[in-house]
Amino acid sequence: NSFKIESFFFKLFSQIPFSTQTPFLLKHKEEILQWLNSKEFKEQYINTNHPYPPLLNPERLNAKRESKEKNNHNKETELRIKERESKEYNVESQRENRDSIQPYPNLSYESIPAELAWDLNLPLPRGYKMIYLYGHGAGVAKVSEVFSAIGLRIIDLFIKGSANNRYILAYNFLLHSNGFNVVSLSDLEYQTSNYLKFFSLIDKKVSFMCQTRDPMELLRHCLARAGRWHSLAITKEFDKTFDFEDVIKPLEHLKYNYNLEGLKKYAYSNLFSFHIHLKELQKNISKIAFLDIKELNSDEAISKLQVIAKDFGFNPLQNCHKKALQTNVFKGSAYLFFPLVFQAGDFKLTLATHSNNSQWVDLHQGIMGKPNEVIGVYIDKNEVESFRANETLYKESCEYLKKFLEKLKERFKQEDAKALAIRDIMQYFKQEPQARKHIKSILDKEVAAIAQYRPDIVESWKYYQEFERMCEEMDK
């Protein structure tokens, strides 16, 4: 037992950068030693051989924030407290233990910089209420926008650098946000930089929402614009003196060469990370729900999300959110053109994909005679009547924008015609056995992780099922 404890502390102290954090460690050595010698530390960290034990008691660091929220009768905090009361323990005992925890007199999460907190192995402040897992290209852009519109505060960590950098971003966000905070996780490009430590420092049991899509469609999405994620607009602001070509980059100057060898890179780091996230964060799951992009685009999308919202405790979506929710922002590469701002005299009109901004009024139907499945032309609702009352300006602006939008929609068609197709992906796998076997080895784990919760989603994936049949026939 003494050898086990000695090994545990040797590992712990080898993680701490004493050379840079010595002043803090010396200043608070009594609090640190008291915690390391406590019964709670032994039970929670030594006995479980926790890989990244904290040098201070997270409960005491959180106590001040939680006490303040409780005194303000924060209903969301009450929900969080109930979620923390594990089924394995007596609820009344849990409440007594929680109420007996005293904050440090001179220490709290607010007083500890994020960089130092990472070095001390401190778990993230427990102000988050949901973890949002998704594959890049699964329709997250619009879901996140709608979630923000109904009050969810999303901490977007997609391609945000190293593990400690993502921890620092989330830590600082949580210190300054008391709403329904959501930690959003997707790519694993930082897997060589202590990503397992980052997962260990997410220690709260919360609801998980997982957004999925047919793996072959995800591969297509990721490669379809490889090297072309920059804006396709020359300028973001223009007026009626601009020709279309002064605003939008010409098609012939853009690269449309697809490097299908990139499938090997993207398959692991950007797309297929459910099997790792769900394994490493299993301890954090209190509830879990999956939503596939097909469900997102169905007539039942709002009702499905309303069920999830009720179960998870956030504001329900309304039917008015459906249009923005189901807008394909990548149709015609629209995402790469917008937003654009058209200056009409003293008025500003914003060209963008469909939005739930309650401050905006959409003029597209008035200009074009019918709505568009992707584009909206928005003006501040407080200015719309004044704009229409200026008949000459309104008429000239509408005439100009009608011609501009017609050219833009034609450009969308050209973009779609040049986009990488699913058949290109499938043909590549037929011709490249090494790539096929490599992707399959990853998908076997990824699909198994999703199928344990929603086998019906996996069965609905048309192109993945076709890929499986290909592998079965060609790799016997």
Side-chain angles (χ1 to χ4, degrees), residues 97-244:
N97 289 339
R98 188 179 61 248
D99 290 343
S100 66
I101 293 173
Q102 297 298 317
Y104 288 109
N106 56 350
L107 280 172
S108 66
Y109 272 108
E110 287 79 2
S111 68
I112 300 175
E115 294 81 358
L116 173 60
W118 170 265
D119 288 342
L120 300 179
N121 292 346
L122 301 184
L124 284 174
R126 294 173 185 159
Y128 53 100
K129 300 175 183 178
M130 186 173 94
I131 289 178
Y132 184 21
L133 300 181
Y134 64 90
H136 178 52
V140 173
K142 277 300 177 181
V143 174
S144 297
E145 182 181 317
V146 172
F147 276 175
S148 296
I150 61 174
L152 276 65
R153 303 289 309 281
I154 296 179
I155 310 169
D156 181 15
L157 300 178
F158 178 61
I159 312 187
K160 290 296 192 296
S162 63
N164 62 312
N165 188 61
R166 297 178 194 225
Y167 170 91
I168 290 167
L169 289 171
Y171 185 101
N172 289 329
F173 188 105
L174 291 167
L175 286 187
H176 299 96
S177 175
N178 295 319
F180 195 104
N181 297 317
V182 179
V183 178
S184 176
L185 302 173
S186 179
D187 70 292
L188 285 173
E189 283 198 336
Y190 57 103
Q191 58 190 301
T192 59
S193 66
N194 261 336
Y195 77 111
L196 292 179
K197 175 176 179 177
F198 178 48
F199 291 158
S200 291
L201 301 186
I202 299 173
D203 76 336
K204 184 182 175 186
K205 289 184 79 71
V206 293
S207 302
F208 276 57
M209 178 170 164
C210 307
Q211 203 159 316
T212 62
R213 189 177 185 180
D214 187 317
M216 298 298 113
E217 292 179 346
L218 290 179
L219 286 170
R220 175 199 169 276
H221 174 87
C222 202
L223 288 174
R225 295 166 189 85
R228 298 193 304 109
W229 285 105
H230 49 275
S231 173
L232 297 181
I234 297 171
T235 179
K236 288 292 188 178
E237 297 187 9
F238 64 109
D239 58 33
K240 65 179 182 179
T241 66
F242 283 65
D243 291 332
F244 181 82

Side-chain angles (χ1 to χ4, degrees), residues 318-331:
Q318 305 299 327
N319 287 329
C320 62
H321 297 121
K322 187 174 182 180
K323 187 176 182 181
L325 186 70
Q326 296 184 338
T327 297
N328 180 1
V329 298
F330 290 99
K331 183 177 179 60

Side-chain angles (χ1 to χ4, degrees), residues 54 76 190 241 245 327 355 423 431 443 457:
E76 293 180 341
Y190 57 103
T241 66
E245 293 73 19
T327 297
S355 170
R423 64 178 177 274
Q431 297 172 350
L443 289 182
I457 285 180

Side-chain angles (χ1 to χ4, degrees), residues 78-111:
E78 291 302 311
L79 176 62
R80 172 162 56 81
I81 290 171
K82 290 177 183 178
E83 288 175 348
R84 286 175 54 195
E85 291 170 342
S86 172
K87 293 179 181 179
E88 290 85 8
Y89 297 93
N90 179 272
V91 172
E92 203 59 44
S93 175
Q94 284 281 85
R95 185 177 293 109
E96 289 174 6
N97 289 339
R98 188 179 61 248
D99 290 343
S100 66
I101 293 173
Q102 297 298 317
Y104 288 109
N106 56 350
L107 280 172
S108 66
Y109 272 108
E110 287 79 2
S111 68

Side-chain angles (χ1 to χ4, degrees), residues 425-466:
I425 300 285
M426 303 304 285
Q427 186 62 32
Y428 174 78
F429 285 136
K430 284 182 180 179
Q431 297 172 350
E432 298 291 337
Q434 284 190 324
R436 181 174 66 244
K437 291 175 183 178
H438 173 74
I439 296 296
K440 187 178 188 314
S441 68
I442 295 169
L443 289 182
D444 284 348
K445 292 178 283 189
E446 185 77 352
V447 170
I450 296 170
Q452 67 175 317
Y453 297 101
R454 290 287 305 272
D456 59 307
I457 285 180
V458 174
E459 291 169 5
S460 74
W461 288 337
K462 174 183 174 182
Y463 299 111
Y464 169 73
Q465 297 299 338
E466 183 181 331

Side-chain angles (χ1 to χ4, degrees), residues 1 5 35-36 38-48:
N1 188 49
I5 294 175
W35 166 237
L36 297 183
S38 69
K39 177 184 177 182
E40 292 83 1
F41 184 83
K42 181 180 178 182
E43 291 176 348
Q44 295 176 38
Y45 298 101
I46 297 178
N47 291 352
T48 61

